[in-house]
Amino acid sequence: MKPRYRFLMSRLRSKPELILSILFIIVFSFLIIVPFLRMIYTTFTYQGYDLRLKRDAVEGAFTLFHYMRVFASDLTEAFLIKPLLHSIAVGFGVTVLAMILGSIFAWIFVRTDIPHKKFFQTVITIPYMIPSWVIALVWVLFFQNNRIGGTAGIVQSLLGIPIPDWLAYGYVPIVITLGLHYYAYTFLMISGALRTIDSELEEAGAVAGLQRTHVLMKITFPLVLPALGSSFVLTFTRSMGTFGTPALLGLPVRFFTLPTQIYAMINSRNVGDAFVLALVLIVLAVTAILINNKMIGVRKSFVTMKGKGFRANPMKLGTYKPLIMTFLSVFLILVIVLPLIMLILSTFIMIPDNYSADNMTTHFWIGDSDPMISSGQKGIMKNEGIIRAMFNSIRLGVISAVLNAFIGLLIGYTVVKNRGTKIARTIEAVAFAPYVFPGIAFAAIYLGMFSQPFGPIPALYGTFSLIVLIVIVKNLPFSSRSGISAIMQIDASLEESAVTQGIPWLKRFRLIILPLSKSGFFSGMLLTFITSVRELSLVILLVTPKTELLTTMIFAYKTQEQTQHVNGVTLVLLFIIIVANVLIRLVSLKSKYKTIDIG
Amino acid sequence: MNAITLQNVTKNFGEVTAVDRLDLEIREGEFLTLLGPSGCGKTTTLRMIAGLEDPNDGEISTKDRILYSKAKGVYIPPEQREMGFMFQSYALWPHMNVSKNISLGLETKKLSREEVNSRVHNVLDQVQMKGYETRYPSELSGGQQQRVALARMIASETGIFLMDEPLSNLDALLRVDMRSELKHLHQTLGATTVYVTHDQMEALTLSDRIVVMNKGRIMQFDTPAEIYHRPKNLFVAKFVGSPPINLISGYIKKRDASKVFLENKDISIDVSSSATALSLADGTEVILAIRPENIRIGSPVQGKPSVPGTVYAVLPSGSETIITARRGESEMRVKVSGFVEYVIDDEIHLEFDSNSILFFDSTTEELITH
Ligand SMILES: Nc1ncnc2c1ncn2[C@@H]1O[C@H](COP(=O)(O)OP(=O)(O)OP(=O)(O)O)[C@@H](O)[C@H]1O
Ligand SMILES: [Mg+2]
C-alpha cells in the first residue's frame, strides 16, 4: 500500500496535466455542473412563488407542478406554445435571410474579381462585431410609430408615412434586424468553405462540358453543402436563443419568444416555470449541435473560419460589375452608414421627432442636469453613472479577456496532453456546456447560488465579482476551443525537449508554451473582450447601481424612453468595440514566428 | 557495468502493445542502436527510458538508482533523470536564438553565468556552429538545426544520450557526413548513447551493439558483425543488409552420408561442403540464405554449392554491380565489385561461398546451428 501510494503521488506531482485535470473537474463541478443540477432540481420542487397559487404546497417539496403547468395546462399555450413557435419562426426567418445574404456576399468576395475586396469584406463583417440589438435600436429610431412607443420614428416624422404596427414592432422587424446581424456570421462560414474548394474542380467540370449553372449546382453546391448546413443549424440556434432584439422589438407588443418569456417569468419571480422553459431551450440547442456534428463530422464541429487558399480563379464580372458594385454600396449605406449617422444625429436632437436645425443641441453629451430634460440626467460626458458603467464595462472586458485567455490555454494544455482519455473528453465537453445555457436562466441560478456563501466562495450577491465570474464561465466554450487549437499547434516535442533538459513546468509554461501561443492568445483575448462588453442577457439580472454596465444602462434608459441617452451610450459602446477591433487587426498583422520547416 | 537496465518492460496504447516484455542491458559508454521497421516500438522504448512515456509494467533503472518501478513504488520524473534527448524534429524552440536554445536548460541547473557561457561556447565549437549564436532556428538549414540540437544535448553533460532518428531529416550526403561526426563525438565524449533508427546501414556503421526489434520484441541483441553474419532468425536476416539476403526455400535431400543437396522444384544445390547441412535429417524443410556478396559468377565446380540462372537485370552503381538472376521461381541477387556487364537472358552460373551459407528452419524461422 505504501509504495503504491508513494508511486502515485510522485507520478502525480510530475504530471501537471493530471493536477490541472483534477482542478478543472472540481472547479467546473462548482461552476457549471452544480448550477445545471440546481436548475433541474428547482423545476421539480415548489418555489416561494408557487405558494400563492397552491395553498397546500410546501416550499422545497417534490412536485411535477411546473411541468404540468408548462406542458399540460390552460397556460401551456401562453407559456410554451406561443413563445416556442415565435422562437422557431424567428430562428427560421433570420436564418433564411442571413443565409441568402451571406451566400451572395461569400460568392461575390471569394469567386469574383470584384475590386476593393479587402475593404468591402472588412466593412461587411462590422455588424457581427457589434451587439445584435444595436440594429434593433436603430430600427426603432427609424420605424417607431406614435401609437405604441411614444414618439414617431424618422420615417414617419420626416417622410410622413404612417408606419403600421407590424412594421414597427414584432416578428417582421425582429427577423430583419437579426438577419442583418447574422448574415455576417453565415458569410464568414460560407466564404471559409468556398475558399477551400479548389477551383480546378470547377474548371474540370467546365472542361467536361458542363454549363456554368450546372457547375454551380453539380459541383460547387454539393461541396459547400456541409458548410451551408452547419451555418444553417448554428444560425438557427443562436438567433432562436437571443434575448436583446426580441426584448426591444417584441415586448412592447407582447410578442414573446422563449428567452423573453423566461425573462418575464424570472422578473415576476416564477423561477420554476422559467427553468422548465430554459431546459426546453437547452434541449433544442443540444439537438441542433448534435445534428450539426453529425453533418460535418465531430472533428470539425467548430467551424473554422479560415481556409487554405487554393489557386482560385476569380470569375470575371465584366458588364455586371457596376451593378454588383451598386448593390454592395447601397447595402452598406443602408445597413451601416445611414444607421450610424442617424444614431449620432439623434443624440444631438432635443425633441425626438423634430429634425429642424433649431432643435439641435449638445445637451445630451455635455449638458448639466436640467430637471426639464431627461428627468434631470446629466449629459453623457458628465454623467457619473455612465462613466462608471463605462469603466465597469471595460474592467469586465479586460479582466475576463485576460483570465479567459489563461484559463483557455490551461484547458487546452490539459485536454491536449490527456488527449484520447476520458478525462480530456469530459473537460472539453463540460467547458463547452455553457454555450447552450440561456443567459438569463444561468444568471438566475448564479443569483440564487451565490446569495449565500457557497463552498469556499463567499456570498457574492450584488458584487462585481459575480458578474466577472459568470461572464468568464459563459466565455469558456470559446476560450477553451481557442486554447485547445493553440496548444495543438505547438508540437509536443517542443515541451518534451524542455522536460528532458530538466526545466520545471512553470518555467516551461512561461518560456515556451505561452510565447509560442502568443498570437492566438492575444486575438482570443480581444475577441473575448468584445464578447464581454456587449454581454446583455447574462448580466441584466445581476447588476446593481454600483455595478451597472454600458449594456444594462442602455436597457435601463430604453425602458425610461430616454432616446438620446440610449443612442448616446450605444455610441460609446460601439466606440469601445471598434477600438478593440482595430487592435485585433493590428495584432494579427504583426508577423508571427516562422515555423521550422522540416523535410 | 550497466548504465541502463530495462526489465520486463511493457507498454500498451489501448489495444496496441507497443513494447512487449522487453529486457535490455545497456553498458556504460557504449553506442547502442535500436533498429527495426516502422512501428516496432523503438521510439516508445527510448521515450520510456527518458520518462516521457510511462511503462504499464516492468522496471527501468540506471547504474545508481531505479527510475521506474510500479512494484517498488519508485518514480523519477523525466526532469530529474539527467539524460539528453534528441528529437527527430530537433524540437528547437523557434522563438529563441541558438545560444538561448542551448543555455535555457543550463540556467535551470544553477550554474554560474560564466559556466553557462563557456559551455555554450564549447559545445557550439564542438559541432562547428560558432558564429551562429544569435540566429533563430528558422534562419538555419536542416543540417545546422541538427547540429544545434546536438549541441543542446551535449551541453547538459548528462552522460546518457538518447537520440530518436536524428539523421532522418537530412539529405543523403549530409547524413553520411553526420554519421562520422556522431561517431567521433561519441568517442571523444564517451557518453552512453541509445540511438534509434530504421536505417540498417546507419545502425551497422555507428553501433557497438544493435538491438533488432519487431512488434515490440527483441529479435536479436548483438554486435553489428554478428547481426550481419549470423542473424539469429529470418527476420533479422531479411531486415539487415542491402541488397537483401538471398533466400531459397527447399528441403534437404541426402544422397549418402557426405552428399547433401538442397532441392526444390526448380533447383538442386550441392551443399555437402556446409557442416550444418550435413547435420540435417533427410527431408527437413529449410530456407537457405546467402548474402549477395558471397556469391560469385563463374563455372560449375564439382562438390561446391552452385546453381545456374538466367540474367534478369544488371544494376551498376559505380563501386559495385548488382546482378539479378532467376531460376524458375527463385530469384537471386549477386553483388560484384566495379562495373560489370552482362547480357540480359544470358545463362550464368552462381557459385556460393560454402562458409557463408546459412540455414533457417522453415517453420520456426530460427537459424539452424549444429
Ligand atoms: N501515443 C500513442 N498512442 C497510441 N499508439 C501509439 C502511440 N505511440 C506509439 N503508438 C503505437 O505503438 C507502436 C510503436 O510505436 P513507435 O513510435 O514506438 O514505433 P517506432 O518503432 O518508433 O516507429 P517509426 O520507425 O515509425 O518511428 C505503433 O504501433 C504505434 O502506432
Ligand atoms: Mg519512431
Side-chain angles (χ1 to χ4, degrees), chain B residues 39 42-44 88 164-165 196:
Chain B
K42 309 177 294 282
T43 299
T44 307
Q88 189 169 4
D164 189 2
E165 310 211 24
V196 163

Side-chain angles (χ1 to χ4, degrees), chain B residues 148-160:
Chain B
V148 176
L150 193 60
R152 184 172 68 179
M153 181 178 71
I154 299 171
S156 51
E157 296 181 359
T158 51
I160 295 177

Side-chain angles (χ1 to χ4, degrees), chain A residues 69-148:
Chain A
R69 232 160 48 131
V70 171
F71 288 108
S73 78
D74 300 343
L75 292 166
T76 303
E77 166 97 26
F79 276 12
L80 177 73
I81 309 281
K82 266 194 171 169
L84 181 62
L85 288 180
H86 286 165
S87 277
I88 291 175
V90 165
F92 196 77
V94 169
T95 308
V96 169
L97 181 59
M99 295 275 294
I100 293 173
L101 286 173
S103 309
I104 292 175
F105 290 135
W107 187 75
I108 292 177
F109 290 124
V110 178
R111 277 313 159 85
T112 71
D113 61 345
I114 194 89
H116 311 302
K117 261 187 202 175
K118 268 239 157 62
F119 167 77
F120 275 127
Q121 226 163 315
T122 311
V123 181
I124 216 131
T125 49
I126 286 179
Y128 188 58
M129 287 300 158
I130 65 180
S132 57
W133 41 263
V134 167
I135 306 172
L137 284 178
V138 177
W139 186 274
V140 172
L141 188 62
F142 275 83
F143 293 104
Q144 189 165 257
N145 66 20
N146 48 9
R147 259 165 305 170
I148 296 165

Side-chain angles (χ1 to χ4, degrees), chain B residues 263-333:
Chain B
E263 296 194 349
N264 63 27
K265 71 182 201 312
D266 306 309
I267 293 175
S268 174
I269 308 172
D270 185 345
V271 288
S272 313
S273 54
S274 155
T276 313
L278 285 175
S279 70
L280 290 169
D282 189 40
T284 319
E285 302 253 345
V286 293
I287 297 162
L288 179 152
I290 183 150
R291 297 228 173 257
E293 66 271 26
N294 295 326
I295 303 179
R296 260 175 11 101
I297 296 176
S299 46
V301 178
Q302 264 302 306
K304 286 237 173 166
S306 68
V307 64
T310 317
V311 176
Y312 183 71
V314 182
L315 311 167
S317 66
S319 66
E320 61 193 36
T321 304
I322 314 272
I323 300 115
T324 314
R326 282 191 170 177
R327 170 92 181 159
E329 280 170 13
S330 301
E331 184 175 280
M332 284 153 289
R333 275 169 298 265

Side-chain angles (χ1 to χ4, degrees), chain A residues 3 6-7 10-11 14-15 493-494 496-504 507-508 511-512 515-516 596 598, chain B residues 47 54 68 70 72-75 77-79 83 85 87 89 91-96 104-105 108 145 152 169:
Chain A
R6 203 173 56 206
F7 179 75
S10 52
R11 260 184 35 150
S14 81
K15 297 234 180 322
S493 66
L494 290 176
E496 285 171 350
S497 63
V499 172
T500 58
Q501 299 264 308
I503 300 171
K507 200 167 169 192
R508 291 202 300 269
L511 294 178
I512 292 162
L516 288 180
I596 311 178
I598 295 161
Chain B
R47 289 170 59 84
D54 292 336
Y68 185 97
K70 211 175 196 165
K72 294 179 187 156
V74 184
Y75 176 82
E79 291 93 328
M83 296 178 182
F85 198 109
F87 292 83
S89 59
L92 295 178
W93 300 305
H95 58 302
M96 296 178 185
L104 191 70
T108 332
Q145 288 171 20
R152 184 172 68 179
N169 287 322

